[in-house]
């Protein structure tokens, strides 16, 4: 069964706006990762945040992790039409050999 | 970053035939490979985990006799969908991870299977 739940399931914004996606999980984790998937394509790894980290940045991406609430958020600033894709969080559970469990994903549409 | 390839990228077959999908790590040795299935507009569901030279570990509900996995070398894993049926039509994605506690999985581009 899937551990991660993502919110919202779909998000539509205008170019230039910020997009925030949230992910919640249930078990203890070693790390949490965010991936991007264009329609019908493979996954692109965006960022990994470890359980002892609270925030990480990569370009226009900002990821936060709150282990007390078992939640994470992905913020894309100054969005572009090319950011249109599905975004998934995936958790690597403790004691599971870093096996990933994926959330349901957020479908982001950025309108030009 | 590390590159993982899948072949074929797309396959259409008749019901009852078997289909083999290859997953290769091109520039690193993958001690562990993972196979996922993704239905339209849904998330990835892990099917099985395979370690080089040993039997694959299947997730609950995945039939090991139907989805045969072979991880014969550190750069190649294959998934064979035996006696495929229309309900097996899906997007199959593999990922690979190096050894030594490597945290990152590198994903292949996926294989779209359509069973008629």
């Amino acid at each position: 069964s899937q551990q991660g739940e993502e919110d919202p399931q779909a998000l539509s914004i205008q170019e230039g706006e910020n997009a925030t996606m949230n992910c919640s999980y249930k078990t203890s984790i070693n790390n949490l990762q965010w991936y991007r998937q264009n329609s019908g394509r493979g996954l692109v790894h965006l960022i990994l945040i470890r359980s002892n980290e609270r925030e990480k940045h990569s370009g226009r991406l900002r990821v936060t992790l709150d282990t007390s609430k078992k939640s994470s958020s992905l913020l894309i600033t100054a969005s572009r039409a090319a950011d249109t894709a599905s975004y998934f969080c995936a958790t690597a559970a403790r004691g599971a050999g870093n096996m990933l469990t994926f959330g349901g994903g957020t479908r982001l549409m950025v309108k030009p | 970053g590390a590159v993982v390839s899948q072949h074929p990228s797309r396959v259409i077959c008749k019901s009852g035939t078997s289909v083999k999908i290859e997953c290769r790590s091109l520039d690193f040795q993958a001690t562990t490979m993972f196979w996922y299935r993704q239905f339209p507009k849904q998330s990835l569901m892990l099917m099985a985990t395979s370690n080089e030279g040993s039997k694959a570990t299947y997730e609950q509900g995945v039939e090991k006799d139907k989805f045969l996995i072979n991880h014969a070398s550190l750069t190649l894993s294959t998934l064979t969908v035996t006696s495929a049926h229309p309900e097996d039509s899906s997007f199959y994605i593999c990922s690979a991870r190096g050894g030594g506690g490597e945290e990152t999985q590198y994903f292949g581009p996926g294989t779209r299977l359509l069973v008629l």
Side-chain angles (χ1 to χ4, degrees):
Chain A
S1 61
Q2 293 206 105
Q3 152 154 267
E5 296 295 332
E6 292 188 58
D7 166 52
Q9 292 186 345
L11 179 62
S12 181
I13 59 174
Q14 292 295 135
E15 208 166 25
E17 294 180 340
N18 296 339
T20 299
M21 290 159 265
N22 302 295
C23 169
S24 61
Y25 57 92
K26 297 175 182 173
T27 64
S28 293
I29 62 172
N30 284 331
N31 63 69
L32 185 146
Q33 303 177 36
W34 284 91
Y35 289 85
R36 167 199 168 116
Q37 183 182 36
N38 285 67
S39 181
R41 309 290 289 274
L43 293 174
V44 175
H45 183 262
L46 295 176
I47 200 163
L48 179 154
I49 186 166
R50 294 186 177 81
S51 60
N52 62 351
E53 297 175 314
R54 292 297 166 258
E55 189 171 312
K56 240 181 168 178
H57 297 256
S58 177
R60 292 184 296 114
L61 305 181
R62 174 176 166 255
V63 168
T64 63
L65 178 64
D66 187 336
T67 52
S68 66
K69 296 181 179 178
K70 291 186 166 59
S71 68
S72 174
S73 67
L74 169 67
L75 168 68
I76 303 175
T77 60
S79 64
R80 304 167 182 167
D83 294 329
T84 295
S86 289
Y87 292 83
F88 295 92
C89 69
T91 53
R94 285 189 194 283
N98 282 327
M99 186 180 74
L100 293 179
T101 301
F102 282 81
T106 295
R107 290 191 302 281
L108 173 67
M109 174 173 288
V110 181
K111 300 175 184 176
Chain B
V3 178
V4 174
S5 70
Q6 276 184 245
H7 177 79
S9 59
R10 183 185 297 264
V11 58
I12 301 173
C13 70
K14 293 181 179 179
S15 184
T17 59
S18 294
V19 175
K20 180 186 282 189
I21 302 170
E22 292 185 350
C23 177
R24 293 182 185 272
S25 57
L26 298 185
D27 52 0
F28 69 102
Q29 293 186 327
T31 56
T32 306
M33 286 185 168
F34 304 87
W35 287 95
Y36 297 84
R37 181 168 52 185
Q38 184 181 33
F39 291 107
K41 296 187 178 180
Q42 294 189 25
S43 188
L44 281 74
M45 297 297 293
L46 180 66
M47 298 174 67
T49 302
S50 73
N51 291 296
E52 185 265 339
S54 61
K55 289 184 179 180
T57 303
Y58 289 82
E59 295 300 300
Q60 194 172 10
V62 178
E63 299 175 58
K64 63 179 180 181
D65 294 331
K66 180 168 183 62
F67 298 99
L68 301 178
I69 292 172
N70 186 298
H71 191 165
S73 79
L74 285 171
T75 58
L76 173 64
S77 176
T78 60
L79 168 68
T80 301
V81 183
T82 62
S83 187
H85 291 283
E87 57 266 28
D88 298 323
S89 298
S90 188
F91 193 51
Y92 292 87
I93 304 175
C94 74
S95 69
R97 189 180 71 198
E102 171 72 49
E103 293 175 307
T104 302
Q105 290 182 28
Y106 299 95
F107 283 80
T111 296
R112 186 161 302 284
L113 170 64
L114 176 61
V115 185
L116 302 177

